[in-house]
Amino acid sequence: TGSSSSGGRSMRRGCWRSDGRIRRRCRGRLCTAGEQSLAVFKYGRAIGQHMAIKMNAPLSNRKLMEVMLRAYEPCRYFGQCQQAIFKPSNGHIPRGYLGAIGELEEVEVVFVFAEPGHPHSDEKDSRHNNSPMQLLRNALNHTYQCFKKGTDAFHRNTRCIMNQLWPDKSFDQQLRHVWLTESRLCSIDDEIGNVADRTCAHAYLRRQLELMPQATVIAFGGKAQRNLKKIIPNFIKAYALAPPGANFQGARPSWEKAIATVRELRFLRS
């Protein structure tokens, strides 16, 4: 999950397509699908998938890691939180967060998503003696790789927004200014349904946001917004960054409006 600085700087405003893929220009014309797969992240998706490059994620701020580590003991809400399971051998562990790698005061924006999707095949771990800290590092590293490579439309859309908010910074530099997180840290069976359970949000998301009161919060998608509204009164609402929500007609305008709002708030604070 990350990208080279050259790939990040080449993004332009209006880089989304209705299918979630990134739209950009190649030598004055729109890229073909084949060109996009090679050009979107020059050293990312196309190369990384074939060479199985393993990248270690930069650790997030210590105070945030202390909050997240509680989810791997394992979390005391397993069995109570709807559809959430803890099974590292199948990739089912709390995950989906990344960023805030400097001081917490440097975090300008928090992106809140609904919950992580179903585990990828390379998230399965047959080892049974991993410590909570190792499980946390495994989750962090996989999330970093996915955003670095632009694994799915969700990761590419997120990167596009980050590149518009911090166009002069590489991906790793951007991670000092953003915290990417989930309103629920575990995958659930009903990915596109309306399962409502705010247990995780109250136990973990609330504590995360309390550490960064200065940050502007963007909630992507209806589930994230419903889980968030009982925690903080004010946040920016936008469409989900993953299909099917990302394919709706109003998705791109909502993302652009969120970007514009962050920029306006940045100007007012300067």
Side-chain angles (χ1 to χ4, degrees), residues 11 60 102 125 130 137 166 194 208 219 226 230 239 259 264 268:
M11 296 296 182
S60 302
D125 193 341
N130 276 337
R137 287 301 303 264
W166 302 283
N194 294 308
Q208 295 167 52
R226 289 191 293 273
K230 296 294 184 179
Y239 277 63
I259 292 168
E264 180 180 356
L268 293 173

PDB file of all heavy atoms in Angstrom, residues 11 60 102 125 130 137 166 194 208 219 226 230 239 259 264 268:
ATOM      1  N   MET A  11      -0.195  12.668 -10.029  1.00  0.00           N
ATOM      2  CA  MET A  11      -1.649  12.702  -9.998  1.00  0.00           C
ATOM      3  C   MET A  11      -2.165  14.099 -10.315  1.00  0.00           C
ATOM      4  O   MET A  11      -1.563  15.089  -9.961  1.00  0.00           O
ATOM      5  CB  MET A  11      -2.147  12.294  -8.614  1.00  0.00           C
ATOM      6  CG  MET A  11      -1.803  10.866  -8.269  1.00  0.00           C
ATOM      7  SD  MET A  11      -2.618   9.734  -9.380  1.00  0.00           S
ATOM      8  CE  MET A  11      -2.056   8.187  -8.678  1.00  0.00           C
ATOM      9  N   SER A  60       3.280   3.968  13.374  1.00  0.00           N
ATOM     10  CA  SER A  60       2.475   5.128  13.746  1.00  0.00           C
ATOM     11  C   SER A  60       2.913   5.626  15.118  1.00  0.00           C
ATOM     12  O   SER A  60       3.701   4.984  15.824  1.00  0.00           O
ATOM     13  CB  SER A  60       0.994   4.761  13.763  1.00  0.00           C
ATOM     14  OG  SER A  60       0.590   4.273  12.494  1.00  0.00           O
ATOM     15  N   GLY A 102       4.430  10.705  12.615  1.00  0.00           N
ATOM     16  CA  GLY A 102       5.218  11.702  13.330  1.00  0.00           C
ATOM     17  C   GLY A 102       4.558  12.068  14.642  1.00  0.00           C
ATOM     18  O   GLY A 102       4.017  11.220  15.354  1.00  0.00           O
ATOM     19  N   ASP A 125      -2.078 -16.224   7.990  1.00  0.00           N
ATOM     20  CA  ASP A 125      -0.878 -16.479   8.778  1.00  0.00           C
ATOM     21  C   ASP A 125      -1.048 -17.800   9.516  1.00  0.00           C
ATOM     22  O   ASP A 125      -1.911 -17.936  10.381  1.00  0.00           O
ATOM     23  CB  ASP A 125      -0.659 -15.341   9.779  1.00  0.00           C
ATOM     24  CG  ASP A 125       0.725 -15.392  10.412  1.00  0.00           C
ATOM     25  OD1 ASP A 125       1.353 -16.469  10.362  1.00  0.00           O
ATOM     26  OD2 ASP A 125       1.162 -14.374  10.956  1.00  0.00           O
ATOM     27  N   ASN A 130       2.186 -15.819  17.325  1.00  0.00           N
ATOM     28  CA  ASN A 130       2.457 -14.398  17.155  1.00  0.00           C
ATOM     29  C   ASN A 130       1.976 -13.607  18.367  1.00  0.00           C
ATOM     30  O   ASN A 130       0.861 -13.804  18.850  1.00  0.00           O
ATOM     31  CB  ASN A 130       1.757 -13.866  15.898  1.00  0.00           C
ATOM     32  CG  ASN A 130       2.584 -14.102  14.644  1.00  0.00           C
ATOM     33  OD1 ASN A 130       3.799 -14.265  14.712  1.00  0.00           O
ATOM     34  ND2 ASN A 130       1.930 -14.109  13.494  1.00  0.00           N
ATOM     35  N   ARG A 137       1.989  -5.419  13.805  1.00  0.00           N
ATOM     36  CA  ARG A 137       2.945  -5.097  12.732  1.00  0.00           C
ATOM     37  C   ARG A 137       2.545  -5.761  11.424  1.00  0.00           C
ATOM     38  O   ARG A 137       2.671  -5.166  10.347  1.00  0.00           O
ATOM     39  CB  ARG A 137       4.358  -5.540  13.131  1.00  0.00           C
ATOM     40  CG  ARG A 137       5.028  -4.692  14.207  1.00  0.00           C
ATOM     41  CD  ARG A 137       5.144  -3.238  13.778  1.00  0.00           C
ATOM     42  NE  ARG A 137       5.849  -3.037  12.547  1.00  0.00           N
ATOM     43  CZ  ARG A 137       7.134  -2.727  12.436  1.00  0.00           C
ATOM     44  NH1 ARG A 137       7.864  -2.585  13.529  1.00  0.00           N
ATOM     45  NH2 ARG A 137       7.689  -2.536  11.260  1.00  0.00           N
ATOM     46  N   TRP A 166      -1.925  16.790  -0.509  1.00  0.00           N
ATOM     47  CA  TRP A 166      -0.490  17.042  -0.288  1.00  0.00           C
ATOM     48  C   TRP A 166       0.284  16.711  -1.563  1.00  0.00           C
ATOM     49  O   TRP A 166       1.038  15.734  -1.613  1.00  0.00           O
ATOM     50  CB  TRP A 166       0.006  16.188   0.883  1.00  0.00           C
ATOM     51  CG  TRP A 166      -0.732  16.455   2.154  1.00  0.00           C
ATOM     52  CD1 TRP A 166      -0.587  17.519   2.994  1.00  0.00           C
ATOM     53  CD2 TRP A 166      -1.775  15.647   2.736  1.00  0.00           C
ATOM     54  NE1 TRP A 166      -1.456  17.428   4.055  1.00  0.00           N
ATOM     55  CE2 TRP A 166      -2.193  16.297   3.929  1.00  0.00           C
ATOM     56  CE3 TRP A 166      -2.368  14.436   2.377  1.00  0.00           C
ATOM     57  CZ2 TRP A 166      -3.189  15.772   4.740  1.00  0.00           C
ATOM     58  CZ3 TRP A 166      -3.364  13.921   3.179  1.00  0.00           C
ATOM     59  CH2 TRP A 166      -3.771  14.575   4.353  1.00  0.00           C
ATOM     60  N   ASN A 194     -26.137  -3.226   5.928  1.00  0.00           N
ATOM     61  CA  ASN A 194     -26.367  -2.153   6.900  1.00  0.00           C
ATOM     62  C   ASN A 194     -26.219  -2.644   8.330  1.00  0.00           C
ATOM     63  O   ASN A 194     -26.972  -2.240   9.219  1.00  0.00           O
ATOM     64  CB  ASN A 194     -27.764  -1.558   6.691  1.00  0.00           C
ATOM     65  CG  ASN A 194     -27.892  -0.846   5.359  1.00  0.00           C
ATOM     66  OD1 ASN A 194     -27.081   0.008   5.038  1.00  0.00           O
ATOM     67  ND2 ASN A 194     -28.911  -1.210   4.591  1.00  0.00           N
ATOM     68  N   GLN A 208      -8.969   7.003  19.383  1.00  0.00           N
ATOM     69  CA  GLN A 208      -8.055   7.514  18.355  1.00  0.00           C
ATOM     70  C   GLN A 208      -8.293   9.005  18.116  1.00  0.00           C
ATOM     71  O   GLN A 208      -7.351   9.804  18.089  1.00  0.00           O
ATOM     72  CB  GLN A 208      -8.261   6.744  17.049  1.00  0.00           C
ATOM     73  CG  GLN A 208      -7.909   5.272  17.104  1.00  0.00           C
ATOM     74  CD  GLN A 208      -8.432   4.537  15.891  1.00  0.00           C
ATOM     75  OE1 GLN A 208      -8.200   4.929  14.750  1.00  0.00           O
ATOM     76  NE2 GLN A 208      -9.174   3.459  16.125  1.00  0.00           N
ATOM     77  N   ALA A 219     -15.600  11.158   6.903  1.00  0.00           N
ATOM     78  CA  ALA A 219     -16.196   9.824   6.972  1.00  0.00           C
ATOM     79  C   ALA A 219     -16.653   9.423   5.580  1.00  0.00           C
ATOM     80  O   ALA A 219     -17.500  10.096   4.983  1.00  0.00           O
ATOM     81  CB  ALA A 219     -17.366   9.807   7.947  1.00  0.00           C
ATOM     82  N   ARG A 226     -22.550   6.597  10.095  1.00  0.00           N
ATOM     83  CA  ARG A 226     -23.453   6.186  11.175  1.00  0.00           C
ATOM     84  C   ARG A 226     -22.668   5.791  12.426  1.00  0.00           C
ATOM     85  O   ARG A 226     -23.085   6.081  13.546  1.00  0.00           O
ATOM     86  CB  ARG A 226     -24.339   5.023  10.703  1.00  0.00           C
ATOM     87  CG  ARG A 226     -25.390   5.420   9.690  1.00  0.00           C
ATOM     88  CD  ARG A 226     -26.391   4.307   9.476  1.00  0.00           C
ATOM     89  NE  ARG A 226     -25.788   3.139   8.843  1.00  0.00           N
ATOM     90  CZ  ARG A 226     -25.677   2.985   7.525  1.00  0.00           C
ATOM     91  NH1 ARG A 226     -26.103   3.928   6.697  1.00  0.00           N
ATOM     92  NH2 ARG A 226     -25.137   1.893   7.026  1.00  0.00           N
ATOM     93  N   LYS A 230     -22.186   9.239  16.692  1.00  0.00           N
ATOM     94  CA  LYS A 230     -22.379   9.209  18.139  1.00  0.00           C
ATOM     95  C   LYS A 230     -21.093   9.550  18.893  1.00  0.00           C
ATOM     96  O   LYS A 230     -21.096   9.640  20.120  1.00  0.00           O
ATOM     97  CB  LYS A 230     -22.873   7.821  18.567  1.00  0.00           C
ATOM     98  CG  LYS A 230     -24.237   7.426  18.022  1.00  0.00           C
ATOM     99  CD  LYS A 230     -25.340   8.302  18.596  1.00  0.00           C
ATOM    100  CE  LYS A 230     -26.714   7.821  18.122  1.00  0.00           C
ATOM    101  NZ  LYS A 230     -27.809   8.634  18.689  1.00  0.00           N
ATOM    102  N   TYR A 239     -18.910  10.065  -0.117  1.00  0.00           N
ATOM    103  CA  TYR A 239     -19.252   8.712  -0.558  1.00  0.00           C
ATOM    104  C   TYR A 239     -18.103   7.755  -0.247  1.00  0.00           C
ATOM    105  O   TYR A 239     -16.942   8.159  -0.111  1.00  0.00           O
ATOM    106  CB  TYR A 239     -19.519   8.688  -2.057  1.00  0.00           C
ATOM    107  CG  TYR A 239     -20.919   9.094  -2.464  1.00  0.00           C
ATOM    108  CD1 TYR A 239     -21.393  10.378  -2.202  1.00  0.00           C
ATOM    109  CD2 TYR A 239     -21.766   8.203  -3.131  1.00  0.00           C
ATOM    110  CE1 TYR A 239     -22.674  10.760  -2.591  1.00  0.00           C
ATOM    111  CE2 TYR A 239     -23.046   8.575  -3.527  1.00  0.00           C
ATOM    112  CZ  TYR A 239     -23.494   9.862  -3.254  1.00  0.00           C
ATOM    113  OH  TYR A 239     -24.752  10.244  -3.644  1.00  0.00           O
ATOM    114  N   ILE A 259     -12.253  17.519  -0.338  1.00  0.00           N
ATOM    115  CA  ILE A 259     -10.915  18.087  -0.559  1.00  0.00           C
ATOM    116  C   ILE A 259     -10.975  19.601  -0.449  1.00  0.00           C
ATOM    117  O   ILE A 259     -10.131  20.237   0.201  1.00  0.00           O
ATOM    118  CB  ILE A 259     -10.381  17.650  -1.935  1.00  0.00           C
ATOM    119  CG1 ILE A 259     -10.100  16.148  -1.948  1.00  0.00           C
ATOM    120  CG2 ILE A 259      -9.117  18.430  -2.297  1.00  0.00           C
ATOM    121  CD1 ILE A 259      -9.854  15.579  -3.332  1.00  0.00           C
ATOM    122  N   GLU A 264     -10.017  24.727   2.475  1.00  0.00           N
ATOM    123  CA  GLU A 264     -10.574  25.979   3.037  1.00  0.00           C
ATOM    124  C   GLU A 264     -10.243  26.080   4.519  1.00  0.00           C
ATOM    125  O   GLU A 264      -9.840  27.150   4.998  1.00  0.00           O
ATOM    126  CB  GLU A 264     -12.087  25.999   2.828  1.00  0.00           C
ATOM    127  CG  GLU A 264     -12.760  27.247   3.362  1.00  0.00           C
ATOM    128  CD  GLU A 264     -14.258  27.250   3.135  1.00  0.00           C
ATOM    129  OE1 GLU A 264     -14.761  26.310   2.488  1.00  0.00           O
ATOM    130  OE2 GLU A 264     -14.921  28.191   3.595  1.00  0.00           O
ATOM    131  N   LEU A 268      -8.060  28.947   6.512  1.00  0.00           N
ATOM    132  CA  LEU A 268      -8.556  29.713   7.649  1.00  0.00           C
ATOM    133  C   LEU A 268      -7.659  29.597   8.870  1.00  0.00           C
ATOM    134  O   LEU A 268      -7.577  30.509   9.698  1.00  0.00           O
ATOM    135  CB  LEU A 268      -9.979  29.246   8.001  1.00  0.00           C
ATOM    136  CG  LEU A 268     -11.068  29.548   6.962  1.00  0.00           C
ATOM    137  CD1 LEU A 268     -12.374  28.890   7.358  1.00  0.00           C
ATOM    138  CD2 LEU A 268     -11.238  31.052   6.785  1.00  0.00           C
TER     139      LEU A 268
END
